[in-house]
Every structure is written in C-alpha cells, then in structure tokens.
Amino acid sequence: MEQKAFKRPFVHLFYIFFLSHLVFCQLDYRFYDSTCPSLTRIVRYGVWSAIANDTRMAASLVRLHFHDCFVNGCDASILLDDIDSTFVGEKTARANQNSVRGYEVIDKIKANVEKACPSTVSCTDILTLAAREAANIVRASYWMVPLGRRDGQTANKTAANELPSPFESLDNIIAKFNAKGAHTIGFAQCFTFKQRLFNFGGSRKPDPDLEASLLKGLQTVCPDQVDSDTTLVPLDSVTTNRFDNSYYRNLVNSSGLLQSDHVLSTDNRTASMVLSYSRYPYLFLKDFGASMVKMANIGVLTGQDGEIRKNCKVVN
C-alpha cells in the first residue's frame, strides 16, 4: 500500500544550528545589484500575490525552502521534475508528495525574473528570497539575505525520504537536525496527530497531556474515520495566519498539535527553549531569522559550480 505523505506546511523554527558548510564569504548582499536590480521587487510582488490568493502559502514557501536545503544543501533540487526514467527528482519523496506546495509560485516568479534578467538569477536564490518575503509578509522579522547561489544539476530522492516526520521521537529529530524547534504558522493533516485523539500509544484512549477543550474540538474536526485523514487543522488556532510565538505558548499550555512538538515542552533538552520563546516574542523572531540565514548557507554552490537554470523544473 502506498505510504501517504504527511503534510506539515509549517514554519519550522528550525531544529537548526546543526553543522553546515558555510560559504558566507562567497555570497554577497549586493550580488545582483548591477545585473538584476529589480530582483527583490519581482520576488516580493510574486510572493505577496500568492499569499493574497492563499494565506497558507506563506508557511508553504518557507517549508519548501527548508525541504530543499535539508537534502544535499540549498540547490533548488526540490524544484526539479521527474523525466521519464532518465531523471528522478525529489517531488515524489514521502515527505514531499501530496504535501509540499508552492512550486508554481517559484516557477511564476522565475519566469518574471527571466524576462527582466535572462540567465542571471538562480532558482535557489529566488527560493531563498521568497521564503524570506513570505515570512516577513506574515509579520516575521526581516533578515538580510546574501546572494550568489547556483542551482544543482542533480536530485536525491533517497535523502528526501529521510526528512523528519511528525511521528518520530525527539531523539531521532535531534539526530537529524542536531538542534531544536517547532512551528508557528501552517496546517497539519488530521492523520499526523489523530492517534493523540483516540488511540495514544495503543491505549485506545486520548493523550492525557492534551488540553481538554482542544481535544474535544479536534475530535469533532477529525473524527476517527479514514475520510477525515486529509482534513487540515491549523497548527496555531489562536493566530493562524500570523507569524508569532503563539505556538510556543500553546506548547506550554499543553495545546501543541503534533506529538513531536509536544515533547519539546517536556524534554529537559528543549523545555527551556520553548519556555523562553513563549515568554519573549522578540527572542523567537531574532533566533528564527538567524536560523534561516544559517540554513540558507548549507551546501551552497557558488562560482563555477552548478548552473543558472532557465527553467526551475529542469536542468539546462
């Protein structure tokens, strides 16, 4: 039976601070100033238009960027299509198929950038900027993005299949990310947390740690039947479309949606972080921006490595 991909159009406050191969000195904040001065404006408008049409797209674009960088570094490999039997991309990996969104937004922005600045700006830089703009539109802090990344010419579906799952233990998540975090905006499909509502740990009872009123509401939205598995529920029902620290306050109050996030507030390795972010929104926003900058520098291709794709879906 085909394994269903989980949907977490979340915004990770990334379990990041994990070791990355930083090439910061090879990137430049003014990389496109002379060759594509309209780049940021084009990306910003494209992202704004997409979010105006679908508020979920803000979280989806940040997640798309994360799923790209986690697999062999930030190289836009996640944007590549399968080509018959000659090329296998990452879009059909378990964590991506029927789950990751926003490809068409990046493709549209890329087309507009190509009109203004042909064969100049990488899909990787466009995706990196789009994630920053998406977070900023929903009231995240603004962070500077050094540019000059180039696009990869390969993909790795096997590695993409190892992206973290909401069903994993904290030990496994930390092993994969070598850091800590959770989400603040986005949605999850019911099947990713339904076991907490009806059969926690095989007990045939709800998770006793789940706040009572939240439990009752979730059982109504996600009844114990297969046809509710793909129903979407906001990760943060208080400020659903706003980027803030409300989700951390929810975790402290036993109102975290996913079990993999709930344990962050109970494990000694992560509980202090959750408490700090729940109390100090500025600290959360500051650390999130810093984590995004670090993540965007993982495994970056620069100089003569890689290429500048004309179409994000295929290598040149």
Side-chain angles (χ1 to χ4, degrees):
M1 188 173 77
E2 181 180 355
Q3 182 170 351
K4 190 180 295 183
F6 65 85
K7 176 166 285 189
R8 294 175 83 186
F10 45 59
V11 175
H12 273 72
L13 170 154
F14 292 96
Y15 306 67
I16 295 184
F17 299 136
F18 68 106
L19 299 177
S20 61
H21 175 58
L22 299 182
V23 291
F24 191 85
C25 61
Q26 296 175 273
L27 303 177
D28 191 335
Y29 292 110
R30 307 183 67 178
F31 190 85
Y32 298 110
D33 278 10
S34 60
T35 57
C36 195
S38 58
L39 173 61
T40 299
R41 177 180 57 79
I42 295 171
V43 174
R44 183 173 295 149
Y45 179 76
V47 172
W48 178 85
S49 297
I51 294 174
N53 184 59
D54 177 6
T55 55
R56 288 176 54 212
M57 191 55 66
S60 296
L61 289 172
V62 175
R63 182 175 184 236
L64 181 61
H65 181 38
F66 164 69
H67 278 223
D68 177 48
C69 293
F70 186 89
V71 180
N72 292 357
C74 306
D75 61 356
S77 59
I78 195 172
L79 305 178
L80 292 168
D81 282 346
D82 289 357
I83 302 177
D84 300 322
S85 60
T86 62
F87 186 91
V88 179
E90 298 165 13
K91 291 182 178 180
T92 56
R94 286 190 297 269
N96 297 334
Q97 190 172 28
N98 301 321
S99 175
V100 169
R101 308 165 67 239
Y103 301 113
E104 72 288 350
V105 176
I106 302 302
D107 290 339
K108 185 175 181 179
I109 293 173
K110 173 63 172 175
N112 289 331
V113 170
E114 283 294 307
K115 291 177 183 177
C117 321
S119 303
T120 301
V121 182
S122 68
C123 299
T124 311
D125 273 344
I126 289 173
L127 179 53
T128 302
L129 285 171
R132 191 269 306 275
E133 296 300 322
N136 186 241
I137 286 172
V138 291
R139 304 188 185 183
S141 56
Y142 186 88
W143 58 90
M144 297 294 291
V145 176
L147 301 169
R149 299 165 186 79
R150 290 171 65 86
D151 298 322
Q153 297 169 295
T154 61
N156 191 334
K157 183 177 179 180
T158 300
N161 281 329
E162 296 304 314
L163 281 158
S165 156
F167 307 110
E168 293 189 64
S169 67
L170 184 59
D171 286 338
N172 286 348
I173 290 173
I174 290 177
K176 288 186 176 183
F177 291 92
N178 196 19
K180 314 169 184 73
H183 330 283
T184 176
I185 60 172
F187 292 74
Q189 294 186 50
C190 287
F191 84 92
T192 61
F193 57 86
K194 192 180 286 186
Q195 77 284 353
R196 297 189 71 196
L197 310 182
F198 302 102
N199 189 27
F200 183 67
S203 66
R204 298 188 180 182
K205 297 179 181 180
D207 183 349
D209 288 342
L210 196 58
E211 195 273 329
S213 61
L214 176 64
L215 171 63
K216 184 176 180 180
L218 290 174
Q219 287 177 329
T220 300
V221 175
C222 302
D224 193 14
Q225 52 199 47
V226 174
D227 61 4
S228 71
D229 280 357
T230 57
T231 299
L232 294 175
V233 177
L235 292 165
D236 170 18
S237 60
V238 180
T239 56
T240 301
N241 296 316
R242 182 184 304 169
F243 192 101
D244 58 20
N245 68 329
S246 180
Y247 194 69
Y248 292 94
R249 296 197 299 269
N250 293 344
L251 290 181
V252 171
N253 295 325
S254 299
S255 298
L257 193 62
L258 303 174
Q259 175 64 17
S260 57
D261 291 338
H262 170 67
V263 296
L264 295 174
S265 63
T266 59
D267 191 283
N268 290 335
R269 293 167 292 178
T270 52
S272 61
M273 179 204 71
V274 171
L275 188 60
S276 293
Y277 288 155
S278 72
R279 291 176 173 176
Y280 307 111
Y282 174 77
L283 176 63
F284 163 67
L285 294 174
K286 175 178 173 291
D287 283 356
F288 178 80
S291 295
M292 289 294 288
V293 171
K294 289 188 177 185
M295 186 189 73
N297 289 331
I298 298 167
V300 169
L301 301 172
T302 60
Q304 298 303 309
D305 294 333
E307 66 179 8
I308 303 297
R309 287 184 220 144
K310 296 180 180 180
N311 180 339
C312 293
K313 296 180 179 180
V314 294
V315 296
N316 292 340

